[in-house]
């Protein structure tokens, strides 16, 4: 409200006290911070309330509060958006894009089928309006997308975005880290399943050296893309014996090494529960040589459970989608490179946003389409898998049409 004192006949002025100035108006000074107006000015006033010769300005409107994030059928808010910018990759990891399937003659999407940077920017803005706060750029291998810093700059400028990150295999990172940072990228996550050359080549499906990935990590650090997270998929009989060595390699570096249980994503990785090394076993192995203690999550819904070294030399994380599923806190939507909205990493399909986008749908229509998908979302695949395993049943096999990991970026 406003504090009215009337008109001072001696000075022939009137005053109004804006909201929040009551204290000063009632101070020892006659008029405090009040603003004064001549009677002639008052007579010229248009659209204002006149009361006993006092000009009353309409109160400043309350700032509009952001709409609460849209929630799905299980009460999970939309907070994170993962955007795939290419379906191509320079690695052939057996658990994602095995070389026997994705050989030299494999037909990837043609350029007209891909979302343009303008289309990605527009859709990302709509997701942010619905409550998303974080965007992660994924692939395939996102660094294969030409002019990627241009997209980063577009996304970094969007209102409401708090965190802009990118997941990469790191092989091309050394050459691009500086440009990405200058464009507005905040952090990177690098996939590195082993720093042992033979194991690295087996798990990447290429005769590459991990030294180049390590150089990319160093370049990202120098460019300020920190803290860097390093993801390692642990597969029994393949790289599980190197877990402690990898932890020791990055201990004290400031980087956060995260171990991921081998998951049944897609249809092509011949997943079997016996190949899963549980998060508990990973932590126990490391703790036996590099003592650990549990750490609190950085924020609600964080996928990795945090463990820090007792000597203060850093931390690790474990992502336990198989043994300790976190579906109840999942806040991630995924946008594929051809414009499909996917609501779960293990989904069998998505909802097309590219077609209405290219047919001229306005923002309101697109926003409503995204909202309609999210409010009906009830995915909890990993929890169901765990329930089946606890009941002694056979774990679910991949559906014939399940989306592959390279299409949704993990």
């Amino acid at each position: 409200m406003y504090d009215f004192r009337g008109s001072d006949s001696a000075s022939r002025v009137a005053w109004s006290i804006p909201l929040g100035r009551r204290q000063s108006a009632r101070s020892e000074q006659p008029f405090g911070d009040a603003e004064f107006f001549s009677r002639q000015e008052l007579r010229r006033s248009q659209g204002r309330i006149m009361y006993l010769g006092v000009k009353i300005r309409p109160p400043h409107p309350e700032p509009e509060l952001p709409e609460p994030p849209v929630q799905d059928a299980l009460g999970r808010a939309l907070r994170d958006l993962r955007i795939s910018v290419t379906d191509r990759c320079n690695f052939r990891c057996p658990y994602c894009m095995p070389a026997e399937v994705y050989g030299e003659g494999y037909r990837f999407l043609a350029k007209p089928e891909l979302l343009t940077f303008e289309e990605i920017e527009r859709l990302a803005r709509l997701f942010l309006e619905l409550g998303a706060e974080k965007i992660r750029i994924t692939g395939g291998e996102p660094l294969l997308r030409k002019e990627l810093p241009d997209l980063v700059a577009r996304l970094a400028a969007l209102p409401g975005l708090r965190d802009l990150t990118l997941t990469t295999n790191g092989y091309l990172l050394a050459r691009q880290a500086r440009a990405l940072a200058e464009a507005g990228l905040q952090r990177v996550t690098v996939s590195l399943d082993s720093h042992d050359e033979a194991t690295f080549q087996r798990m990447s499906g290429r005769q590459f050296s991990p030294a180049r990935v390590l150089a990319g990590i160093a370049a990202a650090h120098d460019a300020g893309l920190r803290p860097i997270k390093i993801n390692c998929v642990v597969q029994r009989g393949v790289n599980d014996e190197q877990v402690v060595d990898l932890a020791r390699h990055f201990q004290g570096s400031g980087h956060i090494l995260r171990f991921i249980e081998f998951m049944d994503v897609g249809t092509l990785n011949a997943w079997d529960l016996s190949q899963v090394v549980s998060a508990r076993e990973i932590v126990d192995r490391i703790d036996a040589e590099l003592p650990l203690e549990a750490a609190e999550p950085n924020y609600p819904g964080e996928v990795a459970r945090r463990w820090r070294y007792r000597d203060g030399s850093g931390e690790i994380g474990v992502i336990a989608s198989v043994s300790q599923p976190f579906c109840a806190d999942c806040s991630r939507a995924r946008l594929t490179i051809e414009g499909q909205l996917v609501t779960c990493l293990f989904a069998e399909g998505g909802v097309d946003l590219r077609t209405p986008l290219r047919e001229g749908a306005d923002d309101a229509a697109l926003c409503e389409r995204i909202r309609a998908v999210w409010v009906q979302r009830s995915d909890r695949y990993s929890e169901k898998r765990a329930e089946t395993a606890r009941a002694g049943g056979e774990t679910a096999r991949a559906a014939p049409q399940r989306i592959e990991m390279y299409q949704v970026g993990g």
Side-chain angles (χ1 to χ4, degrees):
M1 295 179 64
Y2 285 73
D3 189 12
F4 309 134
R5 298 297 184 86
S7 158
D8 178 51
S9 59
S11 58
R12 291 190 173 277
V13 294
W15 58 91
S16 64
I17 313 298
L19 186 68
R21 291 185 175 177
R22 279 188 168 206
Q23 185 63 40
S24 61
R26 289 177 176 170
S27 65
E28 294 181 1
Q29 297 181 12
F31 305 117
D33 293 334
E35 298 181 32
F36 298 91
F37 308 92
S38 69
R39 292 192 181 280
Q40 184 178 13
E41 182 185 1
L42 288 175
R43 284 195 297 270
R44 292 198 304 265
S45 297
Q46 299 292 327
R48 298 182 176 92
I49 301 171
M50 301 294 294
Y51 182 75
L52 297 178
V54 181
K55 179 175 73 173
I56 305 173
R57 289 179 171 174
H60 297 295
E62 291 292 330
E64 290 189 11
L65 296 176
E67 289 289 328
V70 61
Q71 294 189 339
D72 70 8
L74 301 179
R76 298 169 295 187
L78 171 58
R79 293 291 189 190
D80 304 79
L81 175 62
R82 301 194 172 192
I83 302 174
S84 175
V85 297
T86 181
D87 60 337
R88 299 169 188 264
C89 188
N90 47 351
F91 282 15
R92 288 296 180 269
C93 302
Y95 58 78
C96 178
M97 190 180 282
E100 59 269 24
V101 177
Y102 301 96
E104 296 301 323
Y106 185 84
R107 181 191 175 277
F108 291 95
L109 294 173
K111 187 175 181 179
E113 298 177 84
L114 311 181
L115 290 179
T116 66
F117 286 175
E118 292 80 7
E119 290 170 335
I120 292 174
E121 177 189 5
R122 183 181 175 195
L123 289 174
R125 176 171 52 80
L126 298 180
F127 277 95
L128 292 174
E129 291 177 4
L130 288 170
E133 302 172 325
K134 303 178 182 180
I135 292 178
R136 178 174 296 276
I137 300 170
T138 68
E141 170 47 47
L143 299 187
L144 290 175
R145 182 74 184 252
K146 293 181 179 179
E147 308 298 332
L148 187 62
D150 178 32
L151 176 62
V152 169
R154 289 170 178 268
L155 296 177
L158 292 175
L161 180 64
R162 291 199 305 109
D163 195 25
L164 179 59
T165 65
L166 176 145
T167 296
T168 171
N169 61 36
Y171 197 71
L172 302 174
L173 186 56
R175 293 185 296 186
Q176 300 190 39
R178 181 68 59 182
L180 291 167
E182 291 174 352
L185 189 69
Q186 294 169 264
R187 296 184 294 106
V188 292
T189 297
V190 179
S191 299
L192 179 65
D193 295 329
S194 176
H195 65 318
D196 171 77
E197 185 155 318
T199 306
F200 176 84
Q201 291 177 351
R202 178 181 178 184
M203 296 197 74
S204 68
R206 293 294 195 217
Q207 296 301 303
F208 294 156
S209 170
R212 186 159 169 177
V213 177
L214 294 172
I217 292 171
H221 177 87
D222 292 343
L225 297 171
R226 304 189 293 265
I228 296 171
K229 295 178 180 178
I230 299 162
N231 284 351
C232 171
V233 175
V234 182
Q235 191 172 357
R236 192 178 301 280
V238 180
N239 67 335
D240 61 306
E241 296 300 328
Q242 297 168 18
V243 162
V244 176
D245 287 342
L246 194 62
R248 186 177 286 111
H249 179 86
F250 287 109
Q251 185 183 18
S253 67
H255 309 325
I256 302 171
L257 179 61
R258 307 194 304 176
F259 296 99
I260 304 174
E261 293 179 345
F262 180 46
M263 294 182 290
D264 50 334
V265 182
T267 63
L268 303 171
N269 63 8
W271 183 85
D272 189 275
L273 186 60
S274 65
Q275 297 175 301
V276 177
V277 182
S278 72
R280 182 73 263 171
E281 183 178 348
I282 292 169
V283 169
D284 286 347
R285 287 192 192 185
I286 297 172
D287 180 54
E289 298 193 35
L290 306 170
L292 297 168
E293 61 184 5
E296 292 295 317
N298 287 311
Y299 52 87
E302 185 174 19
V303 297
R305 300 197 177 192
R306 300 174 59 223
W307 296 82
R308 57 175 167 249
Y309 295 110
R310 291 182 181 270
D311 64 3
S313 57
E315 68 177 82
I316 65 166
V318 286
I319 299 176
S321 173
V322 178
S323 66
Q324 301 167 30
F326 40 84
C327 301
D329 295 321
C330 182
S331 59
R332 285 165 292 283
R334 292 172 167 83
L335 182 64
T336 71
I337 185 52
E338 67 270 42
Q340 295 280 320
L341 169 55
V342 178
T343 57
C344 178
L345 182 60
F346 303 93
E348 297 179 22
V351 175
D352 181 22
L353 298 180
R354 184 186 64 188
T355 297
L357 179 69
R358 293 184 176 178
E359 290 180 348
D362 62 16
D363 286 356
L366 290 170
C367 215
E368 184 53 38
R369 188 172 179 86
I370 295 169
R371 182 192 297 274
V373 172
W374 192 264
V375 298
Q376 296 180 51
R377 174 183 185 245
S378 60
D379 307 285
R380 47 184 298 271
Y381 173 85
S382 292
E383 290 181 346
K384 291 179 178 179
R385 184 213 301 119
E387 291 166 0
T388 300
R390 284 195 296 270
E394 184 178 357
T395 53
R397 298 296 178 183
Q401 300 302 316
R402 183 183 294 171
I403 293 175
E404 301 299 334
M405 182 184 288
Y406 76 90
Q407 296 174 299
V408 290

